[in-house]
C-alpha cells in the first residue's frame, strides 16, 4: 500500500494554496489495469488518501475544499466502485468515500494545469496484485507471428485533437485502429494487437513497453491531429527524427503529442523503468531506413484512397517512436481541425478505407521484409466474413461497389459468409 495514509501532503506552498479549493468537475475512466478517478480543482489542494476495510473503501480528504456545485461530482460509481459518498468530517475538510466492491490498491497524485485542464487530483485504483504492464489482449499473440502493434493515440483524460463539431481524436483513432487490427488478423502472416482497446489513457512509455515486451516487429501509431491552419487536410506519415523535424507542422505536432502524458495523467513516481535502450548506430540506421520504407508504402497506399497532406515521409521527434528498436511510424489519418475531414473521419466507410490502405501498405512492406513469414495466398480471392457488406469490403479493398459487382457479376448487394469474391490485385 502506498505510504500516503494519514499525512497531509503539503504539495503547495502556503502562499499559493487558496484558502478554499473548489472541486469543479470529476471523471471516471476504466482501463484493463486500473480505474482512474479525476477531480478537477480550482487550485492545488492538500489531500490525504487512505483505505479502510469492512466494508472496503478508499477515503479521500481534501483540506480547505468544497464541492463546486451539484454538477461537480456527477459520478455515481462503476468498475470496482459501488458508489461515491461525500461528507465533512471536520470543518473545512471535504471527504469523498469510494465504496468498493472488492479491495483495491490506490495511488493519488496532483497534476498541474496543462492546455485546457485546470489543477487535477488523480486517484488510481489498481488490482491487489501488482499491475501488469498492460493486460490488453495479449492472449491472441502467437510466437511465430509477424507482430504488428497498433497504437491508437490518446484516450481517457486525453481526448487528443477536438474537432469543431466536438469529435475527439481518441475515439476516431481507436475505431480506425480496431478496424486495422481486424483486417491484419485476416492475413495469416501477421498478427495485430492494440496498445489500448477502450477509452482510457496509456502513458507513452507504457505504449512503448507494451510493444517491446511482446517482441513486436512493427509499431504503427494512429492519430488524427490538429493544425493551426483550418484548411490543412490529408493524411501524412511520420518517422522518428533524431535531429529536428522536417517541417514546422511536424515540429508542432511532435510537441503536442509528446505533451499527451500531461493531459492523460502520469504519476512521476510510478513510471516503470524506461527502456533505455541506447540504439547502436547500426541499429538506429536500420530502424530509420526500415521505418522510411514502411512509411513510403503506407503513403502510397493512403494516397490512392484520399488526399495526402505531404507526398513525402516526414520526420519529427515523436517520443512514442523513440524507444522502440523496430520499424515505427506515426500515421496522421487526417485533421480533426478540418471541418470536412472531421466529418469524414467519423464515418465507418472512411475509417475502413483508411484502415484498408494502411493494411495494403503494410502488406507490401511485409512482402519485402525477410522477417515476415512467407505464405501461400489466394491473392485475388476475398472470402466474405461476418459483419461484411459490399460497401465495407469495397472501402477496405480500395474499390467501388460498382467495380466489385461488375467484376463478380453480382446482381444484388446481398452477400453470404464464406462467399468468395474475385478481387483484382492492385
Ligand atoms: Zn494525436
Amino acid at each position: 500500500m502506498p505510504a500516503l495514509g494519514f499525512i497531509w501532503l503539503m504539495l503547495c506552498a502556503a502562499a499559493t494554496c487558496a484558502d478554499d479549493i473548489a472541486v469543479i468537475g470529476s471523471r471516471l475512466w476504466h482501463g484493463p489495469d486500473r480505474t482512474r478517478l479525476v477531480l478537477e480543482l480550482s487550485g492545488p489542494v492538500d489531500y490525504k488518501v487512505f483505505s479502510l476495510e469492512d466494508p472496503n473503501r478508499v477515503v479521500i480528504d481534501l483540506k480547505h475544499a468544497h464541492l463546486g456545485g451539484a454538477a461537480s461530482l456527477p459520478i455515481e460509481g462503476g468498475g470496482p466502485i459501488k458508489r461515491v459518498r461525500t461528507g465533512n468530517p471536520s470543518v473545512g475538510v471535504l471527504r469523498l468515500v469510494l465504496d468498493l466492491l472488492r479491495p483495491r490498491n490506490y495511488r493519488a497524485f496532483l497534476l498541474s494545469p496543462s492546455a485546457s485542464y485546470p489543477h487535477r487530483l488523480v486517484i488510481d485504483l489498481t488490482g491487489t496484485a501488482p499491475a501488469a504492464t498492460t493486460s490488453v489482449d495479449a492472449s491472441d499473440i502467437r510466437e511465430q507471428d509477424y507482430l504488428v502493434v497498433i497504437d491508437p493515440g490518446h484516450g481517457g483524460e486525453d481526448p487528443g485533437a477536438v474537432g469543431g463539431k466536438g469529435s475527439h481524436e481518441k475515439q476516431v483513432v481507436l475505431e480506425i485502429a480496431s478496424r486495422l487490427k481486424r483486417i491484419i488478423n485476416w492475413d495469416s502472416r501477421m498478427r495485430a494487437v492494440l496498445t489500448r482497446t477502450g477509452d482510457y489513457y496509456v502513458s507513452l512509455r507504457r505504449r512503448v513497453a507494451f510493444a517491446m515486451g511482446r517482441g513486436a516487429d512493427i509499431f504503427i501509431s494512429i492519430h488524427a491531429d490538429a493544425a493551426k491552419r483550418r484548411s490543412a487536410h490529408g493524411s501524412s506519415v511520420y518517422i522518428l527524427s533524431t535531429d529536428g523535424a522536417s517541417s514546422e507542422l511536424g515540429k508542432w505536432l511532435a510537441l503536442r503529442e509528446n505533451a499527451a502524458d500531461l493531459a492523460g495523467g502520469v504519476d512521476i513516481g510510478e513510471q516503470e523503468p524506461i527502456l533505455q535502450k541506447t540504439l547502436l548506430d547500426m541499429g538506429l540506421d536500420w530502424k530509420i531506413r526500415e521505418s522510411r520504407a514502411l512509411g513510403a508504402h503506407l503513403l502510397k497506399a493512403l494516397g490512392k484512397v484520399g488526399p495526402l497532406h505531404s507526398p513525402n515521409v516526414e520526420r519529427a521527434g515523436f517520443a512514442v517512436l523513440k524507444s522502440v528498436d523496430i520499424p515505427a511510424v506515426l500515421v496522421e489519418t487526417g485533421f480533426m481541425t478540418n471541418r470536412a475531414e472531421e466529418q469524414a473521419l467519423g464515418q465507418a466507410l472512411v475509417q475502413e478505407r483508411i484502415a484498408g490502405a494502411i493494411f495494403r501498405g503494410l502488406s507490401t512492406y511485409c512482402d519485402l521484409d525477410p522477417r515476415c513469414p512467407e505464405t501461400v495466398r489466394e491473392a485475388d480471392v476475398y472470402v466474405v466474413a461476418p459483419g461484411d457488406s459490399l460497401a465495407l469490403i469495397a472501402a477496405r479493398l480500395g474499390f467501388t461497389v460498382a467495380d466489385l459487382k461488375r467484376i463478380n457479376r453480382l446482381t444484388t448487394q446481398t452477400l453470404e459468409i464464406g462467399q468468395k469474391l474475385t478481387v483484382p490485385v492492385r
Side-chain angles (χ1 to χ4, degrees):
M1 196 66 71
L4 293 176
F6 300 101
I7 313 163
W8 286 106
L9 290 178
M10 303 299 289
L11 289 175
C12 48
T16 59
C17 269
D19 266 337
D20 215 15
I21 300 297
V23 176
I24 50 181
S26 61
R27 290 178 290 277
L28 199 56
W29 306 103
H30 301 292
D33 61 358
R34 71 189 62 202
T35 288
R36 170 165 287 185
L37 169 64
V38 179
L39 300 176
E40 287 201 330
L41 306 163
S42 61
V45 75
D46 288 349
Y47 68 94
K48 66 178 178 184
V49 182
F50 55 96
S51 62
L52 296 168
E53 293 175 355
D54 228 4
N56 292 304
R57 55 208 191 275
V58 166
V59 180
I60 304 147
D61 279 351
L62 308 177
K63 208 171 180 181
H64 303 305
H66 65 278
L67 283 179
S72 59
L73 201 66
I75 48 168
E76 290 170 354
I81 303 174
K82 194 157 59 180
R83 62 178 172 153
V84 181
R85 294 181 282 129
T86 59
N88 298 99
S90 58
V91 177
V93 175
L94 171 64
R95 171 168 289 179
L96 271 68
V97 180
L98 313 180
D99 286 322
L100 302 177
L101 293 167
R102 48 191 176 275
R104 297 279 96 174
N105 286 334
Y106 63 85
R107 182 182 282 277
F109 56 97
L110 283 171
L111 290 172
S112 301
S114 83
S116 59
Y117 290 109
H119 288 272
R120 287 169 290 166
L121 176 64
V122 177
I123 299 100
D124 279 345
L125 302 176
T126 56
T128 44
T133 305
T134 163
S135 59
V136 182
D137 60 5
S139 57
D140 55 0
I141 301 171
R142 289 193 303 260
E143 288 242 319
Q144 70 277 22
D145 285 327
Y146 189 73
L147 183 64
V148 182
V149 168
I150 308 167
D151 172 46
H154 315 281
E157 269 292 279
D158 173 19
V162 179
K165 292 235 185 287
S167 315
H168 287 182
E169 177 187 358
K170 65 175 181 179
Q171 174 69 25
V172 166
V173 298
L174 180 60
E175 287 166 7
I176 294 173
S178 303
R179 291 174 185 281
L180 176 58
K181 176 192 166 184
R182 199 164 56 237
I183 298 169
I184 288 174
N185 284 343
W186 279 324
D187 187 314
S188 60
R189 296 175 299 170
M190 305 184 216
R191 205 80 194 147
V193 285
L194 301 173
T195 54
R196 73 171 173 98
T197 55
D199 191 10
Y200 50 87
Y201 188 69
V202 179
S203 71
L204 298 177
R205 202 175 288 240
R206 288 167 83 91
R207 293 167 196 259
V208 171
F210 177 85
M212 300 315 292
R214 281 160 183 75
D217 294 293
I218 298 285
F219 184 86
I220 302 179
S221 196
I222 307 282
H223 290 259
D225 270 291
K228 288 181 194 158
R229 196 164 49 85
R230 304 270 148 177
S231 58
H233 70 286
S235 46
S236 31
V237 177
Y238 284 86
I239 62 169
L240 177 67
S241 167
T242 50
D243 56 355
S246 56
S247 67
E248 273 307 304
L249 179 63
K251 189 171 158 189
W252 189 68
L253 285 176
L255 279 174
R256 278 176 58 94
E257 289 304 337
N258 296 349
D261 280 350
L262 296 177
V266 172
D267 178 13
I268 305 297
E270 190 212 17
Q271 292 181 353
E272 55 275 350
I274 192 169
L275 290 146
Q276 275 293 13
K277 255 189 180 176
T278 311
L279 296 175
L280 297 172
D281 280 353
M282 219 174 73
L284 185 62
D285 281 350
W286 174 82
K287 173 185 153 176
I288 300 273
R289 193 178 62 237
E290 292 303 309
S291 299
R292 186 178 284 116
L294 169 63
H297 290 302
L298 297 184
L299 261 189
K300 194 172 170 194
L302 283 164
K304 285 183 181 167
V305 301
L308 294 179
H309 180 72
S310 161
N312 304 312
V313 176
E314 298 286 337
R315 290 175 295 119
F318 289 102
V320 80
L321 302 180
K322 235 169 228 170
S323 300
V324 285
D325 58 3
I326 51 174
V329 295
L330 187 144
V331 179
E332 294 284 2
T333 53
F335 288 90
M336 300 301 285
T337 37
N338 180 289
R339 186 183 285 258
E341 287 202 340
E342 178 192 7
Q343 209 230 343
L345 286 165
Q347 294 172 10
L349 288 183
V350 174
Q351 294 173 354
E352 194 79 7
R353 194 170 294 135
I354 292 169
I358 295 174
F359 168 72
R360 282 191 295 284
L362 174 65
S363 181
T364 308
Y365 175 80
C366 186
D367 289 341
L368 303 168
D369 184 355
R371 301 174 306 152
C372 188
E374 282 185 41
T375 186
V376 182
R377 280 188 298 162
E378 289 184 272
D380 55 355
V381 172
Y382 179 82
V383 182
V384 177
D388 269 344
S389 70
L390 213 47
L392 214 52
I393 295 171
R396 187 182 308 145
L397 299 173
F399 288 96
T400 64
V401 169
D403 280 343
L404 273 188
K405 284 181 81 172
R406 181 176 45 75
I407 294 161
N408 288 279
R409 298 200 180 96
L410 299 175
T411 50
T412 74
Q413 302 265 14
T414 316
L415 297 174
E416 284 173 25
I417 295 169
Q419 184 177 342
K420 290 185 176 174
L421 299 178
T422 302
V423 182
V425 178
R426 315 194 94 184

